[in-house]
Amino acid sequence: MVSTIKNDDLLMGRMMFQPLMISSIIEHAKNHHGSTEIVSQRTEGDLHRYTYRDCELRSRKMAQALNRLQLKTSDRIATLAWNGYRHLELYYGISGNGMVCHTINPRLFEDQITYIIHHADDQVIFFDITFLPLVEKLYPHCSHVKHWICMVDKNKMPESSVLPIVCYEDLIDKEDGNFEWPIFDENAASALCYTSGTTGNPKGALYSHRSTILHTYASALPDSLNISAMDTVMPVVPMFHVNAWGTPYSCMMAGAKIVFPGAKLDGASLYKLMESEQVSMSAGVPTIWAGLLQYVMGNHLKFSSFKRTVIGGSACPPAMMETFANLGVKVIHAWGMTELSPLGTLASLKVNDLKKNQADQKLILQKQGRSLFGIDMKIIGDTGQTLTNDGKAFGNLMVKGSWVISDYFYSDQSPLIDGWFPTGDVATIDAEGCMQITDRTKDVIKSGGEWISSIEIENVASGHPDILICACISTPHPKWDERPILVVVKKPEVTKKNEEIKADLLTFLTGKIAKWWMPDDVLFIEEMPLTATGKLLKVKLREMLKDYSLKS
Ligand code: ADP
């Protein structure tokens, strides 16, 4: 039981109280990094370039425009947009004005998007022109939405026979920028992000100004993203998914140059932009990096400025880390979730680790890492007992902290258990506080009463040269209850027979994983089902294989 002390018994500090406001980030950026550039690959086709000073002015104009449209404090204003400068202006123009920036993931199913637009009660939808066909489908189902605003130049405005559209630039042009960022309670909602809803409807995580600023401070620290004014950062992780891991805030707080890739996320486009803008740092999920690496390796290219990248969202395969290391890029493996704004842990070495050999150091860096200051974590067993942090015991990962949700938006049922948020992940934590995810709770494989880590098997198997992507799932077994099987998509250029790859893969796994973890079968499919955020969709995979049974 934690003890508390009453205020009457305390000598209070004599320091100013300033509410933590998102607008203070962009004001700071304007005042101290005014000439730093923001470069965006636009849907118009060209590269757009302006400064933090320009961005701050246009964000203030956007805030004015929202007031002119008679939108109210706390109204939810939604975006359906790629990473770009207009999206950044909305981040600040909406939140800085006391409204809530609701970033919608356009990769969700249409009925899920309709559901969240209604659930959030969005008043306005800002959208990139790419999403016009989607918007035309949504419009008939969203009569409560007051304005549909296209984020495009005036001379590129589309015609629609379905809905009236306003041009973003017309809105901004009507304003003079004579607007001061308001001050209000730091606990007010700033942004809203829905989980992907792989099971059931998406759920809303409603961030506050306070939680966002604290997350921003912590995420820019040296053993976190380590962003500085010397960096050129390309956030590849979408601004529509957990605020691009907070980079629109952390880059501006630190004064880094920002490069937005827009809709062009293929390997060739990313590489070209990284080289032309001399990107030093980036962040994204493994599936995006797989495309970039394939392009770079396939064309025998090198990076001239790219030095480090944060990889998370799903486990980063060790083979990917190795490939990046050979290209001179340091991978920082991170774990987080929508409900955590999203950063929870990042892997990095400590002074004591320098005594270890390289192989052991690599093992540490392959884990999901230590908590950021501000996040506490523990693992618990099936009956709720706290398990030992010995790096061996697997348990349900629980977290708490200043940027962890307390409730989902418009839900009266708290997800917390004794003040802790159950992440739905199964993990180990070692005595040094280093956490390793072994599975999602719903994906664990229990064989003969013992847990098998599907992630570890996938990590090793994806290092096989013929494998493009693989997933390890359980299948029923009469004696052991469940056994692991591996489902594989081979690389398109591989011409070997499946039986040959299977035998080769099992030999490849031998000695790299425990004997009793060895998959009982290897199945080949054409395309891996993925979630809206590029993660293995194991629910779908299990459904696809519901008629499969192990040959006895
Ligand atoms: P959703 O897919 O529901 O939107 P998030 O994007 O919030 O969810 O994903 C959170 C989940 O992604 C985590 O609970 C965890 O299972 C998985 N995840 C995130 N980062 C990693 C990582 N580095 N290694 C393994 N799993 C990860």
Side-chain angles (χ1 to χ4, degrees), residues 101-122:
C101 181
H102 172 204
T103 49
I104 301 175
N105 184 343
R107 297 196 183 118
L108 292 175
F109 296 119
E110 236 169 79
D111 54 350
Q112 286 182 323
I113 298 181
T114 308
Y115 168 84
I116 62 176
I117 290 174
H118 280 272
H119 189 266
D121 194 19
D122 292 326

Side-chain angles (χ1 to χ4, degrees), residues 336-513:
M337 16 185 357
T338 306
E339 290 88 339
L340 271 78
S341 313
L343 286 174
T345 67
L346 295 105
S348 64
L349 297 177
K350 301 180 184 180
V351 171
N352 280 345
D353 298 326
L354 298 176
K355 297 178 201 138
K356 298 182 176 145
N357 63 34
Q358 268 205 335
D360 286 343
Q361 290 182 359
K362 273 187 193 165
L363 288 179
I364 296 170
L365 296 174
Q366 284 165 11
K367 295 185 179 181
Q368 278 71 11
R370 302 191 306 275
S371 295
L372 292 172
F373 171 74
I375 294 286
D376 282 339
M377 58 181 181
K378 66 173 182 179
I379 44 171
I380 61 167
D382 289 340
T383 53
Q385 80 284 17
T386 301
L387 301 176
T388 322
N389 291 353
D390 58 6
K392 294 190 187 88
F394 294 28
N396 298 308
L397 181 65
M398 314 288 286
V399 293
K400 61 177 177 181
S402 302
W403 54 86
V404 179
I405 61 156
S406 55
D407 307 279
Y408 288 102
F409 186 38
Y410 282 146
S411 160
D412 40 20
Q413 244 185 343
S414 169
L416 307 190
I417 302 172
D418 296 332
W420 291 79
F421 176 76
T423 63
D425 286 323
V426 177
T428 62
I429 305 176
D430 70 16
E432 292 294 308
C434 188
M435 186 272 284
Q436 181 167 27
I437 301 277
T438 57
D439 255 309
R440 292 288 292 166
T441 321
K442 52 187 189 291
D443 294 334
V444 290
I445 304 174
K446 222 165 189 180
S447 179
E450 298 285 340
W451 278 350
I452 293 177
S453 166
S454 68
I455 292 187
E456 207 166 323
I457 297 175
E458 288 155 8
N459 273 347
V460 179
S462 57
H464 188 280
D466 296 340
I467 306 298
L468 183 67
I469 187 167
C470 65
C472 183
I473 57 169
S474 69
T475 194
H477 190 278
K479 180 169 174 196
W480 303 111
D481 294 333
E482 289 179 349
R483 288 296 302 155
I485 57 166
L486 203 54
V487 187
V488 162
V489 178
K490 56 187 179 188
K491 287 189 180 150
E493 65 273 18
V494 175
T495 50
K496 277 191 247 168
K497 290 220 170 71
N498 290 350
E499 275 313 301
E500 204 183 324
I501 301 175
K502 175 179 167 179
D504 200 35
L505 182 57
L506 293 176
T507 313
F508 179 79
L509 292 176
T510 308
K512 296 191 179 86
I513 54 171

Side-chain angles (χ1 to χ4, degrees), residues 105 194-198 241-242 245 311-316 333-340 342 345 367-368 423-425 437 439-440 455 531 533 535:
N105 184 343
Y194 282 74
T195 60
S196 324
T198 34
H241 187 229
V242 216
W245 300 348
I311 301 188
S314 48
C316 176
H333 192 196
W335 168 87
M337 16 185 357
T338 306
E339 290 88 339
L340 271 78
T345 67
K367 295 185 179 181
Q368 278 71 11
T423 63
D425 286 323
I437 301 277
D439 255 309
R440 292 288 292 166
I455 292 187
T531 67
T533 49
K535 301 175 200 209

Side-chain angles (χ1 to χ4, degrees), residues 23-320:
S23 56
S24 69
I25 298 180
I26 198 163
E27 277 222 284
H28 172 83
K30 174 197 69 176
N31 292 335
H32 304 281
H33 305 280
S35 59
T36 298
E37 276 186 321
I38 299 166
V39 181
S40 309
Q41 175 64 58
R42 305 201 307 165
T43 52
E44 285 89 338
D46 57 348
L47 263 194
H48 175 273
R49 198 177 285 279
Y50 73 171
T51 65
Y52 275 15
R53 200 173 289 117
D54 303 324
C55 177
E56 197 272 343
L57 176 60
R58 280 172 52 97
S59 303
R60 254 185 295 132
K61 287 186 177 180
M62 179 46 69
Q64 281 184 299
L66 295 172
N67 289 346
R68 190 164 41 80
L69 292 177
Q70 298 192 332
L71 295 157
K72 301 186 303 296
T73 302
S74 298
D75 273 352
R76 268 77 65 200
I77 314 292
T79 64
L80 267 170
W82 301 107
N83 293 8
Y85 67 105
R86 292 188 181 107
H87 207 172
L88 187 67
E89 291 162 8
L90 289 169
Y91 264 50
Y92 287 95
I94 296 170
S95 305
N97 196 20
M99 297 168 186
V100 180
C101 181
H102 172 204
T103 49
I104 301 175
N105 184 343
R107 297 196 183 118
L108 292 175
F109 296 119
E110 236 169 79
D111 54 350
Q112 286 182 323
I113 298 181
T114 308
Y115 168 84
I116 62 176
I117 290 174
H118 280 272
H119 189 266
D121 194 19
D122 292 326
Q123 299 298 301
V124 182
I125 313 267
F126 283 90
F127 62 95
D128 269 335
I129 195 163
T130 344
F131 300 118
L132 181 62
L134 172 63
V135 160
E136 290 187 330
K137 285 190 204 140
L138 297 172
Y139 178 75
H141 306 289
C142 301
S143 54
H144 69 282
V145 174
K146 296 187 181 115
H147 308 280
W148 299 79
I149 300 169
C150 188
M151 298 157 74
V152 75
D153 283 349
K154 289 179 198 175
N155 61 358
K156 295 269 165 56
M157 267 297 279
E159 296 267 322
S160 173
S161 56
V162 179
L163 74 158
I165 308 171
V166 176
C167 177
Y168 185 100
E169 294 302 328
D170 276 338
L171 276 189
I172 294 259
D173 275 359
K174 290 206 179 94
E175 306 303 334
D176 57 8
N178 188 9
F179 172 89
E180 274 192 39
W181 296 110
I183 301 289
F184 44 91
D185 189 327
E186 63 182 18
N187 290 302
S190 59
L192 176 62
C193 221
Y194 282 74
T195 60
S196 324
T198 34
T199 49
N201 275 325
K203 289 178 280 192
L206 187 62
Y207 311 126
S208 69
H209 285 256
R210 175 186 160 78
S211 72
T212 304
I213 296 282
L214 295 176
H215 178 264
T216 307
Y217 273 121
S219 69
L221 282 170
D223 280 341
S224 304
L225 307 187
N226 191 14
I227 297 178
S228 86
M230 293 292 284
D231 273 311
T232 297
V233 181
M234 181 166 81
V236 174
V237 52
M239 289 168 81
F240 58 69
H241 187 229
V242 216
N243 298 332
W245 300 348
T247 48
Y249 307 118
S250 50
C251 289
M252 280 213 152
M253 188 184 267
K257 173 180 166 184
I258 308 176
V259 180
F260 286 124
K264 292 191 170 174
L265 299 175
D266 61 288
S269 305
L270 288 179
Y271 179 78
K272 192 170 155 229
L273 189 58
M274 289 171 105
E275 285 301 303
S276 66
E277 294 302 323
Q278 291 288 285
V279 168
S280 62
M281 196 260 175
S282 187
V285 297
T287 33
I288 281 289
W289 297 131
L292 176 71
L293 287 177
Q294 217 173 351
Y295 176 78
V296 170
M297 302 303 284
N299 291 286
H300 312 288
L301 300 169
K302 286 194 170 16
F303 293 113
S304 64
S305 56
F306 193 26
K307 290 287 171 279
R308 59 191 206 286
T309 184
V310 180
I311 301 188
S314 48
C316 176
M320 180 172 278

